[in-house]
Amino acid sequence: MGSDSLSILTTSTKPTPIPIPTQEDPSNPSTALLSFNTDSSSSAPTDPPHKPNTTTIVFISLLLIACVAISAAIAFAFLFFSSSPSASPPATSHVETQARPLIKLPHPVVLLISSDGFRFGYQFKTDTPNIGRLIGNGTEAEMGLIPVFPTLTFPNHYSIVTGLYPAYHGIINNHFLDPRTGEAFTMGSHEPKWWLGEPLWETVVNNGLKASTYFWPGSEVRKGSWTCPDKFCMNYNGSVPFEERVDTVLSYFDLPGGEIPSFMTLYFEDPDHQGHQVGPDDPEITEAVARIDMMIGRLIEGLEKRGIFEDVNIILVGDHGMVGTCDKKLIFLDDLNPWIDIPADWVLSHTPLLAIRPPPGVEPSDVVAKMNQGLKSGKVENGKYLRVYLKEELPSRLHYSASDRIPPVIGMIEEGFKVEQKRTKRKECGGAHGYDNAVFSMRTIFVGHGPQFARGQKVPSFENVQIYNLVTSILKIQGASNNGSALFRESILLSSP
Ligand SMILES: [Zn+2]
């Protein structure tokens, strides 16, 4: 249990300063994760120099002559075949640089699709011919899309549509308290005061265009020029079959040209829902992935039937990945009692983001020092897998301090571990997300397909705060200030004619 996709929805605001666009990322996670230790300098002592004898010299000479002969043969062969008229053309006959013109649609359209908890690599679990078609004829983040920290559903979905880190868009967790009023934010809170920044649907309407949302965190919030119109803004209902969602989005393309929304969202709860229950490596996940692929197939078929598949810019993403968790990988706060007592009511969230707000009079730095002392003592079970920070001292690449909604004490938990208050007899294995966004298992997918995306292009991993600028650029509209880079689009999108 513990699913935090939209599916379990039941349900002070001091404006944060305008964030300065930040592109620095000194410890590029994609590089860090992929680097190997190739340093072999310490492995062997330096060999003593040795003198060559006559046999060695003769052997080396023969070897050199042989090499020259082979090279000459290859050069002749190359000249012969390259001048031959029957030689086949090179595989890459041309490189696309210009966006392809629209065939039928009267204006550019971006369809942003989220498959919740679609961990990068799930696309290889089974045959995914339809997602594969988007990848093969579109642009893919070759090693996946990097979520923002914390790698949770609401913070990430809202970063995707605002281009802001959670500290700036205000949705710093799936649930949190306003430190001034004590009011609670839940996944069902639709009051605009919680939702800072300017989401894409609002930007699109500000620019005189139409937008539609078939579910997305924040889309039901009436804010600025966005009124969540009945026809184009679905109120969340997890029981609506996926097929119905796809068909409704397709029906928007049957409207008169000027009525077709320029920006549309489409959301699926799977495979996050299954991931929480059974972890990422279970046949249930494979089934869920196959079903998402079928929905993409249904969408492609509907667009093809209307003659507009090549006209629509489809962006398929997930919000985060998933990692297996199990009952042996637990850390209990009560085990820290010899160093410090952490009552449950100080803890705003336990796992995988540990967030603690001590009461007035208790110094957060004292809490951090005592907790870390206990965790490092070797006497707390799994203690070495949790490290506690003052939020200002978290690694800057996490961008997780510039909001008073973020509690002062934050714990970083190693991948796959969980924090609980006290020991219980409960035994369970499942899946979780929310960990450091540098962890590879938290990555998700990015695929762009359509007139503005080069076919068969692979791009390096990037953070999802870049997506906002991609959408405004495709729609040629003015966006709000955000944390993405204005130049990023040049590395992903084809240039407009
Ligand atoms: Zn999610």
Side-chain angles (χ1 to χ4, degrees):
M1 303 303 281
S3 167
D4 73 344
S5 61
L6 282 177
S7 64
I8 63 151
L9 265 184
T10 49
T11 49
S12 113
T13 42
K14 174 186 86 154
T16 42
I18 290 194
I20 300 149
T22 49
Q23 248 329 93
E24 92 296 340
D25 196 358
S27 54
N28 183 342
S30 48
T31 321
L33 285 162
L34 295 175
S35 66
F36 308 104
N37 181 7
T38 51
D39 178 11
S40 57
S41 59
S42 60
S43 59
T46 317
D47 288 333
H50 62 92
K51 285 182 187 164
N53 58 26
T54 320
T55 322
T56 317
I57 290 166
V58 170
F59 178 74
I60 290 172
S61 307
L62 285 171
L63 201 64
L64 282 172
I65 291 165
C67 285
V68 169
I70 291 166
S71 308
I74 291 170
F76 275 118
F78 176 76
L79 285 172
F80 176 78
F81 285 112
S82 60
S83 61
S84 159
S86 63
S88 42
T92 49
S93 50
H94 74 284
V95 178
E96 280 182 291
T97 53
Q98 292 285 308
R100 300 179 290 278
L102 297 177
I103 301 160
K104 198 168 169 190
L105 282 179
H107 56 77
V109 172
V110 174
L111 170 53
L112 178 63
I113 308 170
S114 164
S115 171
D116 203 306
F118 198 112
R119 169 174 162 165
F120 178 76
Y122 276 2
Q123 68 270 34
F124 306 118
K125 276 189 177 282
T126 183
D127 271 352
T128 49
N130 301 301
I131 294 172
R133 194 170 161 193
L134 296 183
I135 292 172
N137 294 309
T139 294
E140 182 195 22
E142 192 169 20
M143 299 299 281
L145 177 67
I146 303 170
V148 294
F149 179 81
T151 53
L152 296 167
T153 298
F154 270 55
N156 273 279
H157 274 99
Y158 206 52
S159 283
I160 292 169
V161 294
T162 57
L164 297 171
Y165 292 111
Y168 303 105
H169 67 48
I171 309 302
I172 54 110
N173 200 331
N174 288 335
H175 53 91
F176 57 90
L177 295 178
D178 183 320
R180 286 150 196 264
T181 63
E183 275 181 280
F185 171 86
T186 71
M187 292 190 273
S189 299
H190 293 151
E191 301 88 352
K193 62 180 179 181
W194 299 108
W195 305 80
L196 313 178
E198 185 180 294
L200 279 166
W201 41 83
E202 189 182 340
T203 303
V204 167
V205 172
N206 282 347
N207 282 269
L209 304 177
K210 291 195 161 55
S212 70
T213 53
Y214 210 121
F215 306 160
W216 201 278
S219 63
E220 291 163 71
V221 180
R222 290 170 171 79
K223 202 167 88 64
S225 55
W226 178 246
T227 57
C228 187
D230 286 346
K231 200 165 80 171
F232 288 134
C233 172
M234 298 297 152
N235 292 322
Y236 183 69
N237 174 0
S239 64
V240 178
F242 290 175
E243 288 81 356
E244 192 180 324
R245 306 180 192 189
V246 172
D247 294 351
T248 304
V249 166
L250 284 170
S251 75
Y252 297 152
F253 291 99
D254 299 329
L255 294 166
E259 294 294 306
I260 300 173
S262 297
F263 173 72
M264 311 181 187
T265 72
L266 173 60
Y267 169 82
F268 303 113
E269 291 84 352
D270 295 353
D272 179 77
H273 175 67
Q274 295 83 356
H276 281 284
Q277 293 175 342
V278 295
D281 298 308
D282 186 280
E284 265 193 58
I285 297 293
T286 312
E287 266 174 49
V289 167
R291 185 157 152 64
I292 291 296
D293 187 69
M294 277 173 56
M295 291 307 113
I296 300 299
R298 189 180 183 97
L299 177 76
I300 293 174
E301 198 190 326
L303 292 173
E304 279 187 321
K305 218 182 276 177
R306 291 164 173 83
I308 51 172
F309 175 49
E310 292 299 335
D311 276 1
V312 178
N313 290 285
I314 297 174
I315 298 178
L316 172 63
V317 295
D319 52 345
H320 51 73
M322 185 67 68
V323 71
T325 56
C326 227
D327 39 46
K328 287 198 178 63
K329 293 186 170 179
L330 294 175
I331 302 150
F332 301 100
L333 292 182
D334 282 1
D335 288 359
L336 289 169
N337 276 348
W339 293 271
I340 182 171
D341 180 35
I342 307 285
D345 61 0
W346 293 12
V347 185
L348 298 170
S349 88
H350 278 88
T351 209
L353 175 72
L354 176 62
I356 299 172
R357 188 183 295 281
V362 179
E363 271 304 312
S365 55
D366 193 42
V367 174
V368 168
K370 285 179 175 157
M371 285 183 75
N372 281 335
Q373 204 184 355
L375 292 166
K376 287 179 186 168
S377 69
K379 292 173 186 160
V380 172
E381 189 180 346
N382 293 323
K384 63 178 174 179
Y385 299 111
L386 169 65
R387 198 57 72 236
V388 183
Y389 297 85
L390 285 173
K391 67 178 179 182
E392 299 81 13
E393 289 169 7
L394 283 168
S396 61
R397 63 182 173 77
L398 298 174
H399 307 280
Y400 200 62
S401 66
S403 164
D404 59 3
R405 293 178 183 180
I406 300 171
V409 179
I410 298 292
M412 298 291 288
I413 307 170
E414 287 287 331
E415 178 185 22
F417 284 80
K418 281 176 145 184
V419 170
E420 293 186 358
Q421 188 68 32
K422 57 176 183 284
R423 288 170 189 278
T424 60
K425 296 231 163 65
R426 193 156 46 99
K427 297 270 175 207
E428 62 170 36
C429 292
H433 54 86
Y435 303 96
D436 189 339
N437 64 344
V439 173
F440 196 76
S441 62
M442 293 298 107
R443 282 200 195 176
T444 180
I445 50 166
F446 173 92
V447 188
H449 181 282
Q452 293 250 214
F453 293 99
R455 293 190 171 101
Q457 181 180 223
K458 306 289 180 203
V459 296
S461 295
F462 58 90
E463 286 188 324
N464 65 18
V465 291
Q466 303 288 3
I467 292 173
Y468 179 92
N469 287 340
L470 292 187
V471 175
T472 57
S473 179
I474 294 171
L475 297 179
K476 300 188 177 66
I477 56 175
Q478 182 63 43
S481 163
N482 66 82
N483 295 124
S485 153
L487 297 175
F488 178 73
R489 63 185 179 84
E490 288 172 15
S491 61
I492 300 273
L493 299 177
L494 294 169
S495 54
S496 295

